[in-house]
């Protein structure tokens, strides 16, 4: 036995860890390293500790006389094939223990369809995204399916606009014809449609104007007509994004009246008056010609109001709730997800996408990793599904095991 002294447990751990490090560096087998450390602890009169060693890590844990746990973890050197085996072991273990799971089935890709276009055209404000003509919209769907994405949300750019946005509910409008084209070729591809007036009105606001203000109640009728026209054309789900009070109830009533009781409604429930929408408005030609949308979109200062809006949509018959934007409102996603049993969608909007794209192009960040981490944070906050311009790339990242 070594001399009995009052032990300094931290120093003892330093000493045995250093010994373990040297043994492992010399190539000693792991079980012999563990045995040697236990014998040294016993020789110094320390209580039997917990010793755990794997090819790259040594952990020693003791309990001091006053009952405090004292632990030290030390990384160890690895060489040759040990490194490969270690990385494989750690990767499999880390994926096994992930708390947040992602699937390509939870991703929704936005598609912009321009009635005046043939073929496709790059969207300057959204690098990597395109406007598609009605003759090319199935190309967008084909690309989605090749990447493992099976859901889209359609946004239409009509040939003509007027004060009431009448082309929004036209039988042969741009979105209605896009739905028919997609369903004719890909009947199992899931089509969600955005229901709003801003792309169709010549003033760019989300409803019917009364003077300089949007008339909430007059807008409900045209929103319901638009949603019905989308479903009659073959849409699987409608998503009203206008933020008019009572629009979910109005749409539900019209759909039910026409025999579409099982068609779900995804409500843009907590949609904030955000500066992150800029690139989308350029892409969709939907910027207001005067004023702003603060009269019907939410104040970014407000958290409790989001709960109120979600509760109203739930009571009116919404099947899915949504928070928009995503990254700056993770707290709202979490709170709404905890408060309601309905599925929660988040929209990672154009400004979020554009910032990552710009920073990646400038070499300031790793675009791929930032894309993955940003999406993961939205799901970790409580979202069940995500509308994102990175849907195809994220689906491939999930399939590779980098996330999910």
């Amino acid at each position: 036995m070594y001399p009995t002294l009052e032990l300094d447990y931290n120093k003892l751990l330093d000493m045995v860890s250093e010994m373990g490090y040297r043994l492992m560096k010399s190539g000693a087998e792991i079980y012999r390293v563990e045995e040697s450390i236990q014998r040294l602890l016993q020789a110094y009169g320390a209580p039997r500790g917990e010793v755990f060693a794997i090819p790259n890590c040594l952990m020693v844990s003791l309990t001091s006389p006053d009952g405090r746990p004292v632990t030290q973890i030390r990384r160890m050197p690895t060489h040759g094939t040990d490194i490969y085996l270690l990385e494989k072991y750690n990767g499999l273990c880390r994926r096994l223990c992930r708390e947040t799971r992602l699937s390509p089935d939870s991703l929704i890709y936005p598609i912009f369809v321009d009635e005046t276009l043939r073929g496709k055209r790059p969207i300057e404000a959204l690098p990597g995204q395109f406007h598609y003509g009605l003759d090319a919209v199935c190309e967008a769907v084909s690309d989605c399916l090749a990447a493992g994405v099976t859901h889209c949300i359609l946004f239409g750019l009509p040939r003509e606009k007027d004060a009431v946005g009448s082309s929004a509910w036209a039988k042969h409008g741009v979105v209605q014809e896009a739905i028919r084209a997609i369903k004719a070729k890909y009947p199992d591809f899931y089509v969600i449609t955005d229901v709003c007036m801003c792309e169709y009105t010549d003033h760019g606001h989300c409803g019917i104007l009364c003077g300089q203000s949007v008339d909430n109640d007059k807008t409900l009728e045209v929103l319901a007509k638009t949603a019905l026209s989308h479903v009659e054309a073959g849409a699987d789900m409608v998503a009203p994004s206008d933020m008019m009070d009572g629009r979910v109830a109005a749409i539900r009533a019209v759909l039910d009246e026409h025999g579409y009781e099982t068609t779900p409604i995804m409500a843009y429930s907590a949609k904030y008056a955000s500066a992150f929408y800029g690139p989308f408005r350029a892409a969709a030609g939907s910027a207001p010609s005067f004023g702003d949308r603060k009269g019907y979109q939410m104040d970014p200062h407000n958290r409790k109001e989001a709960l109120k809006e979600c509760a109203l949509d739930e009571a009116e018959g919404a099947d899915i709730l949504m928070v928009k934007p995503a990254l700056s409102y993770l707290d709202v996603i979490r709170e709404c997800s905890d408060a309601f049993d309905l599925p929660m969608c988040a929209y990672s909007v154009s400004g979020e996408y554009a910032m990552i794209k710009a920073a990646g192009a400038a070499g300031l960040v790793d675009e791929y990793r930032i894309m993955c981490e940003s999406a993961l944070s939205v799901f970790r906050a409580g979202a069940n599904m995500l509308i994102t311009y990175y849907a195809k790339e994220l689906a491939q990242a999930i399939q590779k095991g980098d996330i999910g």
Side-chain angles (χ1 to χ4, degrees):
M1 283 285 289
Y2 289 87
T4 302
L5 300 171
E6 185 173 344
L7 289 175
D8 182 326
Y9 280 76
N10 287 311
K11 288 184 178 179
L12 180 59
L13 282 179
D14 287 341
M15 183 176 67
V16 297
S17 294
E18 177 64 22
M19 183 190 76
Y21 175 87
R22 292 179 181 278
L23 288 172
M24 293 180 76
K25 189 174 181 180
S26 70
E29 296 181 11
I30 285 175
Y31 80 94
R32 292 198 179 278
V33 174
E34 292 175 342
E35 288 179 353
S36 297
I37 290 174
Q38 289 288 13
R39 284 199 298 270
L40 185 58
L41 292 174
Q42 183 181 11
Y44 273 90
R48 184 174 179 84
E50 293 293 330
V51 181
F52 175 72
I54 59 175
N56 74 324
C57 182
L58 174 68
M59 183 188 79
V60 183
S61 182
L62 302 174
T63 301
S64 65
D66 60 4
R68 291 182 299 106
V70 184
T71 301
Q72 184 171 118
I73 300 175
R74 181 160 183 176
R75 292 195 175 274
M76 297 297 167
T78 55
H79 303 282
T81 57
D82 282 349
I83 295 177
Y84 167 77
L85 294 172
L86 175 64
E87 288 178 350
K88 181 179 178 182
Y89 170 81
N90 282 350
L92 292 171
C93 185
R94 286 166 70 87
R95 291 197 290 275
L96 178 67
C97 298
R98 282 175 178 167
E99 299 175 30
T100 302
R101 298 293 184 179
L102 283 69
S103 165
D105 292 334
S106 61
L107 302 173
I108 302 167
Y109 183 64
I111 299 176
F112 296 90
V113 188
D114 187 339
E115 194 173 15
T116 68
L117 179 66
R118 289 188 63 82
K120 67 179 184 179
R121 176 182 64 232
I123 300 175
E124 185 177 349
L126 292 170
Q129 306 301 311
F130 297 88
H131 289 120
Y132 293 89
L134 287 168
D135 63 328
V137 68
C138 286
E139 179 183 338
V141 174
S142 176
D143 290 345
C144 284
L145 291 170
V149 175
T150 55
H151 302 74
C152 80
I153 183 166
L154 291 180
F155 297 94
L157 285 74
R159 186 182 305 277
E160 298 177 355
K161 301 185 180 190
D162 58 32
V164 296
S166 59
S167 59
W169 64 86
K171 182 175 181 179
H172 296 290
V174 59
V175 167
Q176 292 82 350
E177 289 300 308
I179 297 166
R180 294 186 184 103
I182 292 170
K183 288 297 183 179
K185 189 168 184 180
Y186 300 105
D188 294 330
F189 188 75
Y190 200 90
V191 177
I192 306 166
T193 60
D194 176 76
V195 177
C196 194
M197 308 308 297
C198 59
E199 296 105 319
Y200 304 91
T201 56
D202 54 15
H203 47 75
H205 278 282
C206 298
I208 307 302
L209 290 182
C210 182
Q212 297 289 297
S213 300
V214 172
D215 188 314
N216 187 99
D217 293 349
K218 287 183 179 178
T219 302
L220 297 183
E221 180 183 352
V222 297
L223 290 170
K225 287 166 62 176
T226 300
L228 177 60
S229 71
H230 290 177
V231 176
E232 288 178 334
D236 297 293
M237 180 188 295
V238 291
S241 62
D242 54 282
M243 287 299 285
M244 299 297 117
D245 294 337
R247 89 276 202 206
V248 173
I251 292 171
R252 183 76 275 160
V254 167
L255 293 182
D256 290 356
E257 179 185 344
H258 288 80
Y260 297 108
E261 296 91 345
T262 60
T263 299
I265 299 173
M266 178 166 65
Y268 285 64
S269 302
K271 181 179 178 180
Y272 286 85
S274 171
F276 283 96
Y277 303 149
F280 174 91
R281 290 176 181 172
S286 62
S289 60
F290 66 90
D292 54 41
R293 295 173 180 157
K294 293 179 180 178
Y296 42 94
Q297 294 180 358
M298 287 178 52
D299 186 338
H301 294 79
N302 296 351
R303 174 180 55 84
K304 293 180 181 179
E305 184 184 0
L307 296 170
K308 175 184 174 183
E309 294 288 354
C310 286
L312 289 170
D313 285 348
E314 180 185 46
E316 290 179 19
D319 299 281
I320 299 171
L321 306 175
M322 188 197 298
V323 174
K324 177 186 179 184
L327 280 182
S328 292
Y329 297 87
L330 296 177
D331 59 322
V332 179
I333 295 171
R334 166 52 60 199
E335 193 143 5
C336 292
S337 176
D338 287 346
F340 300 96
D341 290 331
L342 292 177
M344 179 60 61
C345 181
Y347 195 147
S348 183
V349 299
S350 59
E352 299 169 39
Y353 172 84
M355 288 194 302
I356 297 173
K357 274 288 184 184
L364 300 175
V365 299
D366 182 329
E367 181 186 348
Y368 179 80
R369 291 184 63 192
I370 293 291
M371 170 195 76
C372 290
E373 189 173 340
S374 298
L376 176 59
S377 72
V378 177
F379 284 97
R380 192 180 62 241
N384 304 106
M385 62 199 79
L386 178 64
I387 302 172
T388 171
Y389 302 95
Y390 276 123
K392 292 179 288 187
E393 294 86 349
L394 286 167
Q396 292 170 334
I398 292 168
Q399 290 160 7
K400 287 167 58 180
D402 291 341
I403 55 173

